[in-house]
Amino acid sequence: MSLHKKLLKDTAVYGIATVVPRLFSFILNPLYVMPGVMDMEKFAQVSINFSWLVFFNVILSYGMETSFFRFYNTEDKKDVVSTTTISLFWSSLAFLVLGLVFRGGFAWALKTDVEYMPYIVWVLVLDALTIAPFSKLRADSRPLYYAVVKIGSVCCNVLLNFFFLLFLPKLANAHPGSIWDDLFTRDFQVGYVFVANVISSLFALLLLIPLYFKISWHFNKTLWKRMMNYSIPVMFAGIAFAINEVFDRPLLSYMHVAKDDIAKYSACYKLALFMTLFTTAFRLGIEPFFFSHASKDNARQTYATITKYFVILGSVILLGVVVFADVLKYILVPTASYWEGMKIVPIIVLANLCLGIYTNLSVWYKLADRTKMGAYISGIGAVITILFNIALIPVWGYMGSAIATLSAYGTMMLVSYIIGAKYYPIPYDVKTMGTYMALAIVLSSISFYVPVLRHTYVFGVVALLGFIFFVYRNEKNTLLKLVKK
């Protein structure tokens, strides 16, 4: 199988396994903002709690997923699998005990109700226990099993959310004194969201349990120390990354922004879905490929070519999402009371494109075993995120958070490129990538922020088609070769 064909296949398979669950999960956004399901204050609380889930997921995985792939191709595979699994198992168990015993303190620190903490803790622990099995499936190229578990878990979550938030209240009201009435608790919408997550996470773990019985359960202490030396900097990078990705919502809460505004910001943020899906699917397909291809003679040129076409596709998605944002809002944010937050959409979509480019550029420090540099770069982004939010939220509210997100990801992208050029030079076609990206930004900004053009769609559609033709004209030969392969 040719290099490009294998890359496209891996990206497509893992992309489906990622895109389909994400699409299902984003169905929940219209459900949550639906009138009568939950009010803005509860939706804001759900968004804040999910932000904390992202943050603590990084801590509970402590970089072991990346470390797994780093050592899987160079060390004894059985030792890597068993050592990773045992480490994550005991650390998760320890967190479960601490989280449940000190749930009151956690609830106070996270500014959430203590009644939700047991559910949050269980979701975190169950998700952590699936890290090693999922990594093993990816390393062994078992995408079908991977996809079934991922998609099945999310389908379970979506169905349970619809049951708890839509159907259970109706059944309880229609049948007083029945089992439905006994199951139903009024004003517990936030809790039901996390109950659904606990059940779906347990469902995923049960499907992966057979993999636990197939490992040797041999703990290689020497290997574990080496893996931890590699993974801890990745964890700190992940913490900084989580701050950049989701900490704006807790910061908005800490800075006493109205819950209604946090809800509008969180709801409209979801329109970055399409860029997020693209970058996530690409990362899942490309990360194992980067490590396995590192010893090839043409590796650096291949990385440069991959990044170039990532930027091209990302620029097309950026322009397409912004041009049709007012159409997409009827799908993802169908309640008009949330639409005031639409002004953040171009900024957030561009920020996620910068994040995707940074992910591609970050190959240099992973392959050069300089994972601490990743922590430093993400740390710079985290500092920018916190400082810009603190400075801009009092002035522009949640718009300040959107600007802070773009500033953080844009800075990380530039810093990674500059430092990477020194330690692991890759011949990126900066001029071509910059041209496509700049043109997409200009066209999307004009299309969205000029009212008369935004509401007629004529300029936006012409701009999008013209941009695609411009890409095709310049990249025709290479694109035709890729399609043929």
Side-chain angles (χ1 to χ4, degrees):
M1 183 180 292
S2 71
L3 175 66
H4 291 98
K5 189 174 182 180
K6 184 180 187 306
L7 173 60
L8 287 173
K9 179 185 175 183
D10 288 348
T11 301
V13 172
Y14 288 111
I16 291 171
T18 303
V19 169
V20 173
R22 288 290 185 96
L23 285 174
F24 277 127
S25 65
F26 275 91
I27 293 174
L28 296 177
N29 201 62
L31 172 66
Y32 294 158
V33 303
M34 187 184 298
V37 172
M38 66 174 71
D39 56 31
M40 283 188 170
E41 183 173 350
K42 287 186 172 61
F43 178 70
Q45 188 63 60
V46 168
S47 301
I48 293 168
N49 286 344
F50 272 121
S51 297
W52 286 120
L53 282 181
V54 173
F55 186 83
F56 281 100
N57 271 330
V58 173
I59 295 176
L60 285 181
S61 65
Y62 48 90
M64 287 299 283
E65 181 179 14
T66 302
S67 186
F68 177 95
F69 287 111
R70 175 64 182 84
F71 287 88
Y72 191 77
N73 292 311
T74 59
E75 304 291 332
D76 183 271
K77 290 180 171 56
K78 290 184 178 179
D79 273 2
V80 173
V81 174
S82 61
T83 301
T84 301
T85 304
I86 292 169
S87 180
L88 288 168
F89 177 83
W90 286 110
S91 60
S92 300
L93 186 62
F95 177 81
L96 175 65
V97 174
L98 291 173
L100 294 179
V101 171
F102 299 104
R103 59 185 179 275
F106 275 109
W108 174 82
L110 305 186
K111 293 191 69 175
T112 190
D113 294 338
V114 69
E115 64 179 324
Y116 305 138
M117 282 310 304
Y119 307 114
I120 293 174
V121 169
W122 273 108
V123 170
L124 288 167
V125 170
L126 292 171
D127 287 347
L129 292 174
T130 64
I131 293 171
F134 274 133
S135 298
K136 181 69 164 55
L137 290 177
R138 289 173 59 193
D140 290 348
S141 296
R142 299 179 64 187
L144 184 59
Y145 197 166
Y146 181 96
V148 167
V149 178
K150 283 284 187 182
I151 294 172
S153 175
V154 175
C155 286
C156 177
N157 186 28
V158 171
L159 291 174
L160 287 170
N161 269 272
F162 272 89
F163 172 73
F164 285 133
L165 298 177
L166 272 187
F167 299 114
L168 183 58
K170 294 178 181 179
L171 290 170
N173 290 330
H175 305 282
S178 66
I179 186 174
W180 308 118
D181 196 24
D182 293 336
L183 286 174
F184 180 61
T185 303
R186 299 189 183 280
D187 296 321
F188 192 62
Q189 292 92 333
V190 177
Y192 281 135
V193 170
F194 286 95
V195 170
N197 274 267
V198 171
I199 297 173
S200 60
S201 294
L202 179 60
F203 174 79
L205 180 60
L206 291 175
L207 291 179
L208 295 170
I209 281 292
L211 296 175
Y212 273 89
F213 292 105
K214 292 180 180 180
I215 68 172
S216 64
W217 289 94
H218 169 67
F219 186 76
N220 188 325
K221 188 175 180 180
T222 301
L223 174 62
W224 180 77
K225 288 180 179 179
R226 292 173 58 206
M227 293 183 73
M228 290 297 289
N229 286 335
Y230 185 90
S231 67
I232 292 300
V234 175
M235 181 190 72
F236 283 112
I239 291 173
F241 188 84
I243 291 173
N244 296 328
E245 185 177 5
V246 297
F247 206 59
D248 48 0
R249 272 139 282 189
L251 278 173
L252 287 166
S253 178
Y254 284 131
M255 298 187 70
H256 307 293
V257 172
K259 288 292 177 60
D260 285 8
D261 284 341
I262 298 176
K264 294 172 187 175
Y265 176 78
S266 300
C268 293
Y269 199 109
K270 296 295 185 182
L271 269 78
L273 158 70
F274 303 96
M275 186 64 74
T276 303
L277 291 177
F278 169 61
T279 56
T280 302
F282 197 89
R283 179 185 64 80
L284 286 172
I286 206 66
E287 190 174 63
F289 170 81
F290 277 157
F291 287 117
S292 64
H293 194 67
S295 60
K296 304 292 184 181
D297 293 336
N298 63 336
R300 302 192 189 205
Q301 182 58 55
T302 300
Y303 299 155
T305 302
I306 290 170
T307 302
K308 174 184 173 181
Y309 285 98
F310 175 87
V311 172
I312 291 173
L313 289 173
S315 297
V316 173
I317 294 171
L318 166 66
L319 183 55
V321 171
V322 173
V323 166
F324 294 107
D326 287 320
V327 175
L328 296 173
K329 73 183 181 185
Y330 285 98
I331 302 172
L332 294 178
V333 193
T335 305
S337 57
Y338 288 84
W339 290 351
E340 181 187 324
M342 285 294 296
K343 57 189 176 183
I344 71 166
V345 171
I347 298 172
I348 294 300
V349 177
L350 176 57
N352 278 273
L353 175 56
C354 291
L355 174 61
I357 297 171
Y358 165 74
T359 301
N360 278 269
L361 296 176
S362 67
V363 64
W364 71 266
Y365 67 74
K366 292 179 181 179
L367 295 178
D369 284 346
R370 293 180 176 270
T371 52
K372 289 182 180 179
M373 297 303 298
Y376 296 150
I377 295 170
S378 294
I380 292 171
V383 171
I384 292 174
T385 295
I386 294 172
L387 292 181
F388 275 46
N389 269 286
I390 292 173
L392 298 180
I393 287 175
V395 181
W396 292 323
Y398 58 78
M399 191 67 172
S401 290
I403 295 171
T405 300
L406 175 58
S407 301
Y409 289 153
T411 302
M412 289 165 58
M413 175 184 70
L414 293 174
V415 171
S416 182
Y417 170 74
I418 293 170
I419 300 178
K422 177 181 178 181
Y423 289 102
Y424 194 91
I426 296 175
Y428 295 114
D429 189 352
V430 177
K431 182 179 179 181
T432 300
M433 293 189 296
T435 299
Y436 286 125
M437 191 171 173
L439 183 58
I441 292 171
V442 171
L443 292 175
S444 59
S445 298
I446 294 172
S447 173
F448 190 87
Y449 290 112
V450 178
V452 66
L453 298 178
R454 176 177 174 180
H455 298 301
T456 59
Y457 291 102
V458 174
F459 175 84
V461 172
V462 171
L464 178 59
L465 294 176
F467 184 76
I468 293 173
F469 176 76
F470 178 68
V471 170
Y472 175 77
R473 189 189 67 179
N474 292 325
E475 308 295 333
K476 178 180 178 180
N477 293 333
T478 305
L479 289 173
L480 288 177
K481 289 180 182 178
L482 288 174
V483 170
K484 185 177 180 181
K485 289 181 180 181

